[in-house]
């Protein structure tokens, strides 16, 4: 029974996350996922939009996932691998090489990231929409004010 382990924030859950979990799952019979806690995200410099409980529940609902636990720090991977008897640690290619030191206790495997999708890009899209909405509202207010002024109502 091959056990696979992976970690992530999984904020604003998207297809890149799904594909990573599906490919990780295909490497064994069991897949466990360490989901970054809100506190650990802050340490990683990532302010997740969705709180840990919901991010963990979403990942746990993926049919390929057999178990979820909190990732609280950078140093718990070795004890997680031993506790879960993980045979393979899988991470996306943006982490290439970062966890090779764990090769002494399990296979470390990096999978290509899914192109053209990221939580950061999703956040930027929303920020852009918000900015456009603010500009539009400012223009409407300016037009209304000019109309009131022209009619000596202001
Ligand atoms: N991922 C991917 N393709 C994307 C986006 C993400 O394959 N377009 C992968 C990442 O490489 C990672 C996993 O999906 O393996 C989760 O991504 P994040 O939620 O961004 O996780 P991250 O912040 O990289 O946390 O200790 C390891 C860290 O907890 C990993």
């Amino acid at each position: 029974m091959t056990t696979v382990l992976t970690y992530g924030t999984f904020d604003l859950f998207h297809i890149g996350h799904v594909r990573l979990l599906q490919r990780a799952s295909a490497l064994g019979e069991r897949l466990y996922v360490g989901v970054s806690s809100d506190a650990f995200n802050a340490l990683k410099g990532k302010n997740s939009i969705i709180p840990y409980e919901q991010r963990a529940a979403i990942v746990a609902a993926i049919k390929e996932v057999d178990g979820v636990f909190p990732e609280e720090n950078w140093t718990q991977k070795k004890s997680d691998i031993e506790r879960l008897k993980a045979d393979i640690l899988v991470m996306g290619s943006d982490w290439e090489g970062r966890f090779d030191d764990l090769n002494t206790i399990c296979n470390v495997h990096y999978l290509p990231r899914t192109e053209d999708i990221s939580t950061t890009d999703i956040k930027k899209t929303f920020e852009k929409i918000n900015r456009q909405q603010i500009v539009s509202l400012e223009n409407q207010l300016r037009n209304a004010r000019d109309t009131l002024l022209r009619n000596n109502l202001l």
Side-chain angles (χ1 to χ4, degrees):
M1 172 83 83
T2 301
T3 298
V4 183
L5 176 60
T6 190
Y7 294 83
T9 303
F10 300 104
D11 192 24
L12 301 180
F13 200 72
H14 56 68
I15 192 66
H17 297 140
V18 172
R19 290 194 177 140
L20 187 285
L21 295 171
Q22 289 172 329
R23 287 177 293 158
S25 164
L27 296 172
E29 282 74 46
R30 272 185 311 196
L31 172 61
Y32 293 111
V33 185
V35 176
S36 310
S37 67
D38 296 332
F40 182 45
N41 269 335
L43 269 178
K44 288 197 279 188
K46 282 189 155 187
N47 294 316
S48 42
I49 303 281
I50 308 297
Y52 168 77
E53 293 71 22
Q54 295 179 34
R55 290 185 285 110
I58 290 168
V59 173
I62 301 296
K63 65 179 169 43
E64 287 87 356
V65 174
D66 296 289
V68 169
F69 59 92
E71 180 189 29
E72 313 272 7
N73 56 61
W74 288 114
T75 57
Q76 69 184 76
K77 290 185 178 66
K78 184 173 181 297
S79 57
D80 291 339
I81 290 165
E82 289 160 352
R83 169 170 58 85
L84 296 166
K85 298 181 175 52
D87 303 288
I88 309 173
L89 171 65
V90 169
M91 292 303 297
S93 51
D94 47 318
W95 292 94
E96 188 82 35
R98 286 284 299 276
F99 305 113
D100 289 356
D101 59 308
L102 295 166
N103 261 316
T104 53
I105 55 171
C106 74
N107 290 325
V108 180
H109 196 75
Y110 302 98
L111 296 171
R113 274 176 72 91
T114 300
E115 298 296 320
D116 305 324
I117 183 85
S118 74
T119 302
T120 305
D121 289 349
I122 293 170
K123 285 182 186 174
K124 282 180 183 162
T125 302
F126 281 124
E127 284 161 8
K128 187 176 168 208
I129 292 169
N130 285 342
R131 269 199 305 280
Q132 285 168 341
Q133 283 173 331
I134 289 166
V135 168
S136 165
L137 278 171
E138 283 172 343
N139 289 337
Q140 289 173 49
L141 284 171
R142 191 174 302 111
N143 293 340
R145 180 178 168 276
D146 292 348
T147 304
L148 290 171
L149 281 171
R150 269 199 308 278
N151 294 281
N152 299 317
L153 295 172
L154 197 59

